[in-house]
């Protein structure tokens, strides 16, 4: 059983607990209103994801997902520890080092004008959209497991209204299929949030309004994605504290 029983809400919602875990978690549900509400929301999301049947996945996909669904375990959200005063981001150190070098050159030149402009350097790229989210002051981190193996981590900044999904060690999507991301909106509807390219280690900036979202799901869809989910989620990560 997880050391934080609240973290099992996602696994309970997609029926991924064993008998002992289920019994203990259901006892917990009888006394925890927050978990009852979260389970209800996640179960509604899972039903909506699985309800649309416009596309029928191949039998091999169903077998693969069912074989690994018991391994799904969402982890509790964690907040990154504040950085120590003497710890600075790499890019900041690089800029400061270049600036110090420019100042030293001016001193050695003995008053000679030295036209050194560190901002003209093309060696340090500006931060990407994903970097801005991951290093945002209000970033929150949510982690879980993927049916069939692998992990998924969601970095979200409410201030930026954006999120980044990082998947590690997941199976290749079947030929002609992709992984599609979905956000559970406060209204209870699932919104398209982007596609993962095929691979085992994937990073993707989520599209749409990630700030108010209550959960993030991943399904397997035909190439090009779908306007609505057509398969049971292989991961469902609550975005709540």
């Amino acid at each position: 059983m997880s050391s934080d029983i609240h973290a099992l809400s996602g696994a309970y919602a997609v029926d991924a607990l064993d008998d002992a875990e289920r019994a203990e978690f259901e006892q917990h549900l009888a006394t925890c209103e927050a978990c009852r509400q979260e389970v209800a929301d996640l179960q509604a999301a899972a039903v909506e994801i699985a309800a649309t049947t416009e596309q029928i996945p191949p039998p091999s996909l169903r077998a693969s997902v069912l074989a690994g669904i018991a391994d799904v375990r969402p982890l509790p959200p964690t907040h990154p520890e504040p950085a120590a005063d003497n710890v600075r981001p790499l890019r900041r150190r690089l800029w400061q080092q270049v600036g110090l070098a420019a100042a030293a050159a001016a001193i050695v030149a003995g008053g000679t004008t030295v036209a050194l402009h560190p901002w003209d350097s093309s060696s340090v790229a500006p931060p990407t959209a994903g970097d801005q989210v991951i290093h945002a002051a209000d970033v929150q981190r949510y982690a879980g497991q993927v049916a069939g193996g692998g992990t998924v981590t969601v970095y979200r900044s409410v201030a930026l209204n954006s999120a980044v999904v990082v998947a590690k060690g997941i199976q290749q999507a079947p030929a002609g299929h992709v992984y599609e991301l979905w956000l559970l909106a406060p209204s209870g509807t699932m919104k398209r949030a982007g596609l993962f390219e095929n691979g085992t280690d994937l990073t993707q900036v989520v599209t749409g309004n990630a700030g108010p979202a209550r959960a993030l799901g991943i399904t397997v869809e035909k190439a090009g994605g779908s306007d609505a989910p057509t398969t049971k989620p292989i991961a469902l990560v609550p975005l709540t504290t």
Side-chain angles (χ1 to χ4, degrees):
M1 174 64 67
S2 169
S3 58
D4 181 0
I5 195 168
H6 303 276
L8 296 180
S9 56
Y12 182 84
V14 294
D15 196 24
L17 299 180
D18 61 31
D19 292 341
E21 289 174 326
R22 174 178 293 277
E24 185 169 350
F25 187 73
E26 287 178 345
Q27 289 182 354
H28 169 73
L29 281 180
T31 60
C32 182
E33 174 61 27
C35 279
R36 287 199 299 272
Q37 183 62 52
E38 183 168 271
V39 166
D41 292 342
L42 292 175
Q43 286 178 332
V47 168
E48 182 168 344
I49 288 176
T52 305
T53 57
E54 295 177 355
Q55 300 178 15
I56 301 176
S60 59
L61 174 61
R62 180 178 184 275
S64 174
V65 171
L66 292 179
I69 196 67
D71 295 329
V72 175
R73 293 291 191 279
L75 301 178
T78 60
H79 300 266
E81 294 295 332
D85 293 340
N86 62 343
V87 177
R88 292 166 292 171
L90 176 60
R91 288 193 176 88
R92 187 180 300 172
R93 294 202 303 270
L94 289 174
W95 282 114
Q96 291 173 345
Q97 290 168 3
V98 173
L100 290 173
I107 294 173
V108 172
T112 302
T113 301
V114 181
L116 293 179
H117 303 288
W119 53 86
D120 291 337
S121 172
S122 61
S123 61
V124 180
T128 65
D131 289 336
Q132 293 179 37
V133 172
I134 292 174
H135 298 293
D138 69 328
V139 69
Q140 293 177 311
R141 176 180 176 275
Y142 305 89
Q145 292 183 311
V146 179
T151 61
V152 59
T153 304
V154 181
Y155 298 88
R156 179 175 65 170
S157 167
V158 174
L160 297 177
N161 194 28
S162 186
V164 175
V165 181
V166 179
K168 298 288 187 181
I170 65 175
Q171 297 179 355
Q172 292 271 348
H177 292 76
V178 294
Y179 293 113
E180 187 159 8
L181 306 175
W182 306 91
L183 288 173
L184 174 62
S187 63
T189 59
M190 300 301 295
K191 304 290 187 180
R192 297 184 71 178
L195 302 176
F196 268 148
E197 297 297 331
N198 210 350
T200 57
D201 294 333
L202 308 168
T203 300
Q204 178 69 38
V205 177
V206 172
T207 61
N209 298 321
R214 304 179 68 176
L216 180 137
I218 303 176
T219 63
V220 181
E221 306 293 343
K222 287 186 177 180
S226 174
D227 291 334
T230 65
T231 64
K232 187 175 183 179
I234 62 171
L236 190 61
V237 182
L239 302 181
T240 55
T241 56

